[in-house]
Amino acid sequence: MKAHFGEAWERLFAPPIAHRGLWSPDGAPENSLAAFRAACAAGYGIELDVQLSADGEAMVFHDGGLKRMTGAEGRLADRTAAELAELRLAGSDERIPTLAETLAVVGRRAMVHIELKTPYGAVGPLEQRVHEIIIDHAGPVCVIGFNAYSHAWFAERYPNVLRGLDSYSYADARNMDAAQRRAMAELEHVAIAKPHFLALGLDMLPGEAAARHRAKGLPVVAWTVKEPSQWEAIKAHCDNLIFEGFRA
């Protein structure tokens, strides 16, 4: 597998990965070009979020709603890419970037973990657009996300794309019954997703399910580490970390 994915596989393990770029409350906003440039300058990898605009463009933005980061009402999915470009992030001059713009800025300077915010029942359009973009990108990338069927989509159509399944304990998942929460915590959906690595929440680390899959050859990336002591407590059980709020 290491030879198959080349540079992307090597950079999966180092350096650490800046969550939504290297942002701060009084500096570059999360998921902004400024935050991505800062991560590149500091030598970190980058994690970012993507979802589709109303006209089918892959936009780099975390929330379904626009309010927290832009002050605007409504959902990102209800506006076109051009309309979204008019908004500004967290009172700064930064705007919501497209994935294509972001990768052009990053180039080969950083490994980019692209989290697909695909809702259940909507697999396909976002995955296809992301693939259209990354196929022409020269730098190392992987796709990550919580939707196991999104990963299965890539596994069937584009198996050469490096994939990491996001997960956590689902202990507070109100839309699941006890059996479903238990199955997710045990990582039973790995069989559907067929990932190349796991990106696991701190509430699963260390843990039996994570250790079992890691022993079978699935590296584990921890998220989101917010202070050095958290990493010290789990680093023996992981292969890398997604961090924010400090310099890893």
Short mmCIF file of all heavy atoms in Angstrom, two decimals, residues 103-132:
data_model
loop_
_atom_site.label_atom_id
_atom_site.label_comp_id
_atom_site.label_asym_id
_atom_site.label_seq_id
_atom_site.Cartn_x
_atom_site.Cartn_y
_atom_site.Cartn_z
N LEU A 103 -6.54 24.15 -3.46
CA LEU A 103 -5.46 23.26 -3.90
C LEU A 103 -4.44 23.99 -4.76
O LEU A 103 -3.24 23.68 -4.73
CB LEU A 103 -6.03 22.06 -4.64
CG LEU A 103 -6.89 21.11 -3.79
CD1 LEU A 103 -7.35 19.92 -4.61
CD2 LEU A 103 -6.16 20.65 -2.54
N ALA A 104 -4.89 24.98 -5.52
CA ALA A 104 -3.96 25.78 -6.32
C ALA A 104 -3.02 26.57 -5.42
O ALA A 104 -1.82 26.73 -5.72
CB ALA A 104 -4.73 26.72 -7.24
N VAL A 105 -3.53 27.07 -4.30
CA VAL A 105 -2.71 27.83 -3.35
C VAL A 105 -1.74 26.90 -2.62
O VAL A 105 -0.56 27.23 -2.43
CB VAL A 105 -3.61 28.57 -2.34
CG1 VAL A 105 -2.81 29.06 -1.14
CG2 VAL A 105 -4.30 29.75 -3.02
N VAL A 106 -2.22 25.74 -2.21
CA VAL A 106 -1.39 24.81 -1.44
C VAL A 106 -0.33 24.15 -2.32
O VAL A 106 0.81 24.00 -1.90
CB VAL A 106 -2.28 23.73 -0.77
CG1 VAL A 106 -1.42 22.65 -0.13
CG2 VAL A 106 -3.20 24.38 0.26
N GLY A 107 -0.71 23.75 -3.52
CA GLY A 107 0.22 23.07 -4.41
C GLY A 107 0.75 21.78 -3.79
O GLY A 107 0.01 20.99 -3.25
N ARG A 108 2.07 21.64 -3.83
CA ARG A 108 2.71 20.45 -3.26
C ARG A 108 3.23 20.68 -1.85
O ARG A 108 3.89 19.82 -1.27
CB ARG A 108 3.88 20.00 -4.15
CG ARG A 108 3.49 19.62 -5.57
CD ARG A 108 4.68 19.08 -6.34
NE ARG A 108 5.21 17.87 -5.70
CZ ARG A 108 4.77 16.64 -5.97
NH1 ARG A 108 3.78 16.47 -6.84
NH2 ARG A 108 5.30 15.60 -5.36
N ARG A 109 2.92 21.84 -1.28
CA ARG A 109 3.52 22.21 0.00
C ARG A 109 2.96 21.44 1.19
O ARG A 109 3.60 21.36 2.24
CB ARG A 109 3.36 23.71 0.25
CG ARG A 109 4.14 24.57 -0.70
CD ARG A 109 4.04 26.04 -0.33
NE ARG A 109 2.69 26.56 -0.49
CZ ARG A 109 2.25 27.70 0.04
NH1 ARG A 109 3.06 28.41 0.80
NH2 ARG A 109 1.02 28.13 -0.19
N ALA A 110 1.75 20.89 1.06
CA ALA A 110 1.13 20.21 2.20
C ALA A 110 0.26 19.06 1.72
O ALA A 110 -0.33 19.11 0.64
CB ALA A 110 0.29 21.19 3.02
N MET A 111 0.18 18.03 2.55
CA MET A 111 -0.79 16.96 2.37
C MET A 111 -2.15 17.50 2.80
O MET A 111 -2.28 18.10 3.87
CB MET A 111 -0.40 15.77 3.25
CG MET A 111 -1.46 14.71 3.40
SD MET A 111 -1.55 13.64 1.96
CE MET A 111 -2.53 12.29 2.64
N VAL A 112 -3.17 17.33 1.95
CA VAL A 112 -4.49 17.88 2.23
C VAL A 112 -5.48 16.75 2.50
O VAL A 112 -5.68 15.87 1.65
CB VAL A 112 -4.99 18.76 1.07
CG1 VAL A 112 -6.35 19.35 1.40
CG2 VAL A 112 -3.99 19.87 0.77
N HIS A 113 -6.10 16.78 3.67
CA HIS A 113 -7.15 15.85 4.05
C HIS A 113 -8.49 16.53 3.76
O HIS A 113 -8.86 17.49 4.44
CB HIS A 113 -7.06 15.50 5.53
CG HIS A 113 -5.85 14.70 5.90
ND1 HIS A 113 -5.93 13.46 6.48
CD2 HIS A 113 -4.52 14.98 5.76
CE1 HIS A 113 -4.72 12.99 6.69
NE2 HIS A 113 -3.84 13.89 6.27
N ILE A 114 -9.20 16.05 2.77
CA ILE A 114 -10.43 16.68 2.31
C ILE A 114 -11.62 15.95 2.93
O ILE A 114 -11.94 14.83 2.55
CB ILE A 114 -10.54 16.63 0.77
CG1 ILE A 114 -9.33 17.31 0.14
CG2 ILE A 114 -11.84 17.26 0.30
CD1 ILE A 114 -9.21 17.06 -1.36
N GLU A 115 -12.26 16.58 3.92
CA GLU A 115 -13.41 15.96 4.56
C GLU A 115 -14.68 16.26 3.77
O GLU A 115 -15.09 17.42 3.66
CB GLU A 115 -13.58 16.41 6.00
CG GLU A 115 -14.77 15.72 6.67
CD GLU A 115 -14.98 16.09 8.11
OE1 GLU A 115 -14.00 16.46 8.79
OE2 GLU A 115 -16.14 16.03 8.57
N LEU A 116 -15.30 15.24 3.25
CA LEU A 116 -16.54 15.39 2.48
C LEU A 116 -17.72 15.43 3.44
O LEU A 116 -17.96 14.47 4.19
CB LEU A 116 -16.71 14.24 1.49
CG LEU A 116 -15.87 14.33 0.20
CD1 LEU A 116 -14.41 14.08 0.48
CD2 LEU A 116 -16.38 13.34 -0.83
N LYS A 117 -18.46 16.53 3.42
CA LYS A 117 -19.61 16.68 4.31
C LYS A 117 -20.87 16.18 3.58
O LYS A 117 -21.85 16.91 3.41
CB LYS A 117 -19.78 18.15 4.70
CG LYS A 117 -18.53 18.81 5.24
CD LYS A 117 -18.05 18.20 6.54
CE LYS A 117 -18.93 18.62 7.71
NZ LYS A 117 -18.37 18.12 8.99
N THR A 118 -20.83 14.92 3.16
CA THR A 118 -21.92 14.35 2.38
C THR A 118 -23.04 13.86 3.30
O THR A 118 -22.82 12.97 4.12
CB THR A 118 -21.42 13.16 1.54
OG1 THR A 118 -20.33 13.58 0.74
CG2 THR A 118 -22.54 12.62 0.66
N PRO A 119 -24.26 14.41 3.17
CA PRO A 119 -25.37 13.90 3.99
C PRO A 119 -25.72 12.48 3.58
O PRO A 119 -25.52 12.07 2.43
CB PRO A 119 -26.52 14.86 3.64
CG PRO A 119 -25.89 16.05 3.00
CD PRO A 119 -24.66 15.53 2.32
N TYR A 120 -26.24 11.71 4.51
CA TYR A 120 -26.70 10.37 4.17
C TYR A 120 -27.85 10.47 3.17
O TYR A 120 -28.72 11.33 3.29
CB TYR A 120 -27.14 9.62 5.43
CG TYR A 120 -25.95 9.13 6.24
CD1 TYR A 120 -25.44 9.88 7.29
CD2 TYR A 120 -25.32 7.94 5.90
CE1 TYR A 120 -24.33 9.44 8.00
CE2 TYR A 120 -24.20 7.49 6.61
CZ TYR A 120 -23.72 8.25 7.66
OH TYR A 120 -22.61 7.82 8.35
N GLY A 121 -27.81 9.61 2.17
CA GLY A 121 -28.81 9.64 1.11
C GLY A 121 -28.46 10.56 -0.03
O GLY A 121 -29.22 10.67 -0.99
N ALA A 122 -27.30 11.23 0.03
CA ALA A 122 -26.93 12.18 -1.01
C ALA A 122 -25.55 11.90 -1.59
O ALA A 122 -24.90 12.79 -2.12
CB ALA A 122 -26.99 13.60 -0.46
N VAL A 123 -25.10 10.67 -1.51
CA VAL A 123 -23.77 10.31 -2.01
C VAL A 123 -23.73 10.39 -3.54
O VAL A 123 -24.67 9.96 -4.22
CB VAL A 123 -23.38 8.89 -1.56
CG1 VAL A 123 -22.11 8.42 -2.24
CG2 VAL A 123 -23.22 8.84 -0.04
N GLY A 124 -22.68 10.95 -4.07
CA GLY A 124 -22.47 10.98 -5.52
C GLY A 124 -22.05 12.33 -6.05
O GLY A 124 -20.91 12.47 -6.55
N PRO A 125 -22.89 13.35 -5.99
CA PRO A 125 -22.53 14.64 -6.60
C PRO A 125 -21.29 15.29 -6.00
O PRO A 125 -20.41 15.76 -6.75
CB PRO A 125 -23.79 15.50 -6.37
CG PRO A 125 -24.90 14.49 -6.31
CD PRO A 125 -24.32 13.31 -5.62
N LEU A 126 -21.19 15.35 -4.69
CA LEU A 126 -20.01 15.95 -4.08
C LEU A 126 -18.77 15.11 -4.35
O LEU A 126 -17.70 15.65 -4.70
CB LEU A 126 -20.20 16.11 -2.56
CG LEU A 126 -19.00 16.67 -1.79
CD1 LEU A 126 -18.59 18.04 -2.32
CD2 LEU A 126 -19.32 16.73 -0.29
N GLU A 127 -18.89 13.81 -4.24
CA GLU A 127 -17.76 12.92 -4.50
C GLU A 127 -17.25 13.09 -5.93
O GLU A 127 -16.03 13.17 -6.15
CB GLU A 127 -18.18 11.46 -4.25
CG GLU A 127 -18.34 11.09 -2.80
CD GLU A 127 -19.60 11.64 -2.15
OE1 GLU A 127 -20.49 12.14 -2.89
OE2 GLU A 127 -19.71 11.57 -0.92
N GLN A 128 -18.16 13.18 -6.88
CA GLN A 128 -17.76 13.32 -8.28
C GLN A 128 -17.04 14.64 -8.51
O GLN A 128 -16.01 14.70 -9.20
CB GLN A 128 -18.96 13.20 -9.20
CG GLN A 128 -18.63 13.25 -10.68
CD GLN A 128 -17.72 12.10 -11.11
OE1 GLN A 128 -17.98 10.94 -10.79
NE2 GLN A 128 -16.64 12.40 -11.82
N ARG A 129 -17.57 15.72 -7.96
CA ARG A 129 -16.94 17.02 -8.15
C ARG A 129 -15.55 17.06 -7.50
O ARG A 129 -14.60 17.59 -8.09
CB ARG A 129 -17.81 18.14 -7.58
CG ARG A 129 -17.22 19.54 -7.75
CD ARG A 129 -16.95 19.86 -9.20
NE ARG A 129 -16.27 21.13 -9.39
CZ ARG A 129 -15.34 21.36 -10.30
NH1 ARG A 129 -14.97 20.40 -11.16
NH2 ARG A 129 -14.78 22.55 -10.40
N VAL A 130 -15.44 16.50 -6.32
CA VAL A 130 -14.13 16.46 -5.66
C VAL A 130 -13.14 15.66 -6.49
O VAL A 130 -11.98 16.08 -6.67
CB VAL A 130 -14.25 15.89 -4.23
CG1 VAL A 130 -12.88 15.55 -3.66
CG2 VAL A 130 -14.97 16.88 -3.33
N HIS A 131 -13.57 14.55 -7.03
CA HIS A 131 -12.65 13.75 -7.84
C HIS A 131 -12.22 14.51 -9.09
O HIS A 131 -11.06 14.44 -9.50
CB HIS A 131 -13.27 12.42 -8.24
CG HIS A 131 -12.30 11.52 -8.95
ND1 HIS A 131 -12.26 11.42 -10.33
CD2 HIS A 131 -11.29 10.75 -8.49
CE1 HIS A 131 -11.30 10.60 -10.67
NE2 HIS A 131 -10.69 10.18 -9.58
N GLU A 132 -13.13 15.23 -9.72
CA GLU A 132 -12.78 16.03 -10.90
C GLU A 132 -11.69 17.04 -10.58
O GLU A 132 -10.86 17.36 -11.45
CB GLU A 132 -14.02 16.75 -11.41
CG GLU A 132 -15.07 15.84 -12.02
CD GLU A 132 -16.39 16.54 -12.27
OE1 GLU A 132 -16.53 17.73 -11.90
OE2 GLU A 132 -17.30 15.90 -12.81
#
